[in-house]
């Protein structure tokens, strides 16, 4: 359990690790360190979907690093995570239940049809978010300074995720109490 907590924290502070690592160490060393952490995180993850996102993103970092260099591979990790999450959420729209519906049914197994429709809309909102967030992360990786990349991917993106969660919670509260 402590290893899992440490690995989650390391994943969250990934941009800071990369920024610090690139400023003080060879990019290849940073690459191997980060990939090792991601692989450990992937192997310790119990949820299949989360494992898929972690392994796909880690593999993507290696592919990008091979073609464009270690530093670019490291900076594109947030793009790859957003792309993986977009794929996961968007593909669930074609399944029997969207990913948000599955999460909602954990709390409310007999979700009414209005709830099912609402969860589909929320899944679409997250797809739009992952698209825009991923494009912004891509922009910061290629066309901004390391400091701007760090600020967006290590702070602002998390703030936007939190804001979307809070807004969705408020909207859900209002929708539930309207019915």
């Amino acid at each position: 359990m402590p290893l899992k907590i440490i690995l989650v924290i390391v994943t969250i502070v990934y941009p800071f690790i990369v920024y610090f690592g690139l400023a003080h160490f060879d990019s290849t060393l940073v690459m191997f360190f980060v990939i090792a952490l991601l692989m450990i995180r992937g192997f310790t993850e119990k949820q299949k979907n989360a494992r898929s996102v972690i392994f796909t993103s880690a593999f993507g970092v290696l592919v990008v690093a091979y073609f464009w260099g270690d530093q670019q591979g490291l900076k594109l990790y947030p793009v790859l995570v957003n792309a993986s999450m977009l794929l996961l959420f968007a593909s669930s729209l074609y399944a029997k239940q969207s990913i948000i519906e599955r999460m909602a049914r954990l709390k409310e197994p007999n979700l009414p049809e209005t709830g099912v429709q609402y969860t589909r809309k929320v899944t679409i909102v997250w797809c739009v978010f992952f698209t825009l967030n991923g494009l912004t992360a891509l922009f910061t990786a290629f066309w901004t300074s390391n400091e701007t990349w760090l600020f967006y991917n290590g702070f602002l993106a998390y703030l936007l995720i939190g804001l979307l969660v809070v807004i969705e919670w408020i909207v859900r509260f209002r929708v539930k109490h309207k019915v």
Side-chain angles (χ1 to χ4, degrees), residues 63-112:
V63 169
V64 170
Y66 179 78
F67 288 105
W68 288 287
D70 294 342
Q71 184 169 345
Q72 218 50 52
L74 290 165
K75 288 175 70 177
L76 285 176
Y77 177 72
V79 177
L80 297 167
V81 169
N82 278 280
S84 297
M85 294 299 287
L86 173 60
L87 183 63
L88 180 67
F89 276 63
S91 66
S92 79
L93 291 168
Y94 299 99
K96 186 177 178 182
Q97 294 178 343
S98 71
I99 196 162
I100 300 292
E101 180 183 345
R102 279 185 269 159
M103 290 191 300
R105 285 188 184 278
L106 293 174
K107 188 173 181 183
E108 196 173 330
N110 297 321
L111 192 65

Side-chain angles (χ1 to χ4, degrees), residues 82 85 89 100 118 121-133 152 156-173:
N82 278 280
M85 294 299 287
F89 276 63
I100 300 292
Y118 177 79
K121 290 176 186 172
V122 172
T123 303
I124 291 168
V125 167
W126 277 105
C127 288
V128 170
F129 174 82
F130 291 130
T131 300
L132 296 174
N133 195 47
Y152 183 78
L156 196 53
Y158 292 120
L159 190 66
L160 293 172
I161 290 168
L163 183 62
L164 182 54
V165 168
V166 168
I167 290 170
E168 191 280 322
W169 183 82
I170 291 168
V171 170
R172 182 175 2 119
F173 181 80

Side-chain angles (χ1 to χ4, degrees), residues 1 20 32 46 49 61 63 67 99 105 115 118 123 128 131 139 149 174:
M1 185 69 157
F20 177 82
F32 283 117
K46 288 186 168 92
N49 289 339
V61 167
V63 169
F67 288 105
I99 196 162
R105 285 188 184 278
Y118 177 79
T123 303
V128 170
T131 300
F139 178 80
W149 175 84
R174 287 187 176 173

